[in-house]
Amino acid sequence: EDQWSPMNPEGKKQYNRDFLLQFQQDCKDKPEGLPHIPDIVLDKADIRPPSF
Amino acid sequence: TETQSQAVLSPEEVIKHPLQNKWALWFFKNDKAKSWADNLRIITAFDTVEGFWALFNHIQSASKLQSGCDYSLFKDGIKPMWEDGKNKPGGRWLVNLGRTKPQDVDRFWLESLLFLIGESCDDEGELVNGGVINVRGKGNKIAIWTGNYKKEEGILKIGKGFKEVLHLPAKTLISYEAHADTMSKTGSMAKSRYSV
């Protein structure tokens, strides 16, 4: 339906879980400025797709 | 550094997908030596799909947290406590997970996060405030927090949507408690306002 995309910037920012899951693998860079909370905030990406 | 190959990426890869709302992830660790408020820490906020995954891929999975810890994901500006002005008039849809297997706990929590950031309850989105997972030895709990519990139609839609993404069997009822009731409850169980 009328979903947001680079070519449809006015589209609805509503995404279902299958659409969202496509991007999990690519996001390996650690976000800036995370607090130092040992054993909670990880240094290396730990990509864990949901087990169906 | 921007490499030459950057230029050939399709728009899809370069442009991040904006979320309808900005969300903040909080972490709570039950350290008796500190006050409740000091035990609550904001990890970070994000407003794109890619921002969510970069964060999610860099935090410990819920099932590995110590008993007494919580993760909370709330719209930016709303604190994960019933005292917050946006939470006070509302309540929560509560799912008692009991002692489910770790990968199920993680799956339930991830489905809840995607339910929130994906705005699955499109027209009820306004009512959704956030979600919490309480990791407890005696049984984990996941809840979706909403505003104004009197908006029955919207609250019921959110409950049904939440139950659907968790693939809970129809006969498994989940109940909605208004914070006002939970605060003034006498017994352990606050009376539930709705159930689906």
Side-chain angles (χ1 to χ4, degrees):
Chain A
E1 359 79 22
D2 173 29
Q3 186 172 65
W4 184 93
S5 78
M7 278 64 78
N8 177 21
E10 294 318 311
K12 252 188 184 168
K13 299 178 187 108
Q14 187 185 7
Y15 312 106
N16 67 41
R17 47 104 58 201
D18 295 332
F19 179 83
L20 291 168
L21 281 166
Q22 297 169 64
F23 299 92
Q24 179 172 19
Q25 305 295 340
D26 318 330
C27 302
K28 300 187 175 66
D29 304 332
K30 183 172 181 178
E32 303 283 335
L34 292 186
H36 176 62
I37 310 178
D39 64 49
I40 299 301
V41 178
L42 313 175
D43 286 327
K44 222 164 68 51
D46 169 22
I47 298 183
R48 321 170 292 269
S51 52
F52 292 91
Chain B
T1 58
E2 289 296 330
T3 56
Q4 183 49 35
S5 67
Q6 195 73 36
V8 301
L9 285 177
S10 71
E12 198 65 35
E13 281 145 0
V14 175
I15 297 175
K16 291 193 163 63
H17 292 68
L19 296 173
Q20 185 64 36
N21 285 287
K22 188 171 188 180
W23 296 86
L25 183 71
W26 300 73
F27 171 68
F28 175 84
K29 184 180 172 95
N30 196 5
D31 178 349
K32 297 267 186 309
K34 290 200 224 141
S35 76
W36 186 85
D38 293 345
N39 282 324
L40 183 64
R41 296 187 68 174
I42 187 165
I43 297 179
T44 194
F46 56 86
D47 57 9
T48 64
V49 174
E50 291 77 2
F52 165 72
W53 285 119
L55 169 61
F56 184 79
N57 292 338
H58 284 87
I59 53 169
Q60 185 60 268
S61 47
S63 60
K64 295 204 178 81
L65 296 180
Q66 278 174 357
S67 180
C69 288
D70 303 342
Y71 275 136
S72 301
L73 185 75
F74 273 75
K75 284 177 182 169
D76 198 33
I78 304 178
K79 286 204 171 70
M81 50 183 81
W82 59 265
E83 296 91 336
D84 187 282
K86 282 269 186 15
N87 290 325
K88 206 161 199 173
R92 61 179 178 165
W93 281 106
L94 186 63
V95 176
N96 287 300
L97 296 178
R99 278 193 210 77
T100 38
K101 296 197 289 295
Q103 75 258 33
D104 289 334
V105 173
D106 291 327
R107 180 169 56 81
F108 280 127
W109 179 235
L110 179 55
E111 294 293 355
S112 306
L113 293 172
L114 301 181
F115 173 76
L116 292 168
I117 67 171
E119 302 293 335
S120 308
C121 307
D122 180 32
D123 34 26
E124 309 314 326
E126 243 328 279
L127 264 177
V128 173
N129 286 351
V132 181
I133 181 166
N134 307 121
V135 175
R136 299 294 183 272
K138 55 184 173 19
N140 302 320
K141 289 181 285 187
I142 288 182
I144 296 293
W145 286 39
T146 75
N148 193 349
Y149 73 84
K150 295 195 175 91
K151 294 199 167 157
E152 179 166 357
E153 198 202 333
I155 302 277
L156 287 177
K157 255 194 192 161
I158 292 167
K160 287 187 183 108
F162 180 39
K163 196 173 164 180
E164 213 176 276
V165 298
L166 297 184
H167 302 297
L168 293 179
K171 61 174 175 36
T172 308
L173 291 183
I174 62 172
S175 58
Y176 182 90
E177 299 165 352
H179 295 310
D181 297 340
T182 326
M183 283 183 291
S184 61
K185 70 180 183 216
T186 45
S188 72
M189 279 299 294
K191 71 178 171 61
S192 67
R193 291 278 173 163
Y194 310 114
S195 65
V196 288

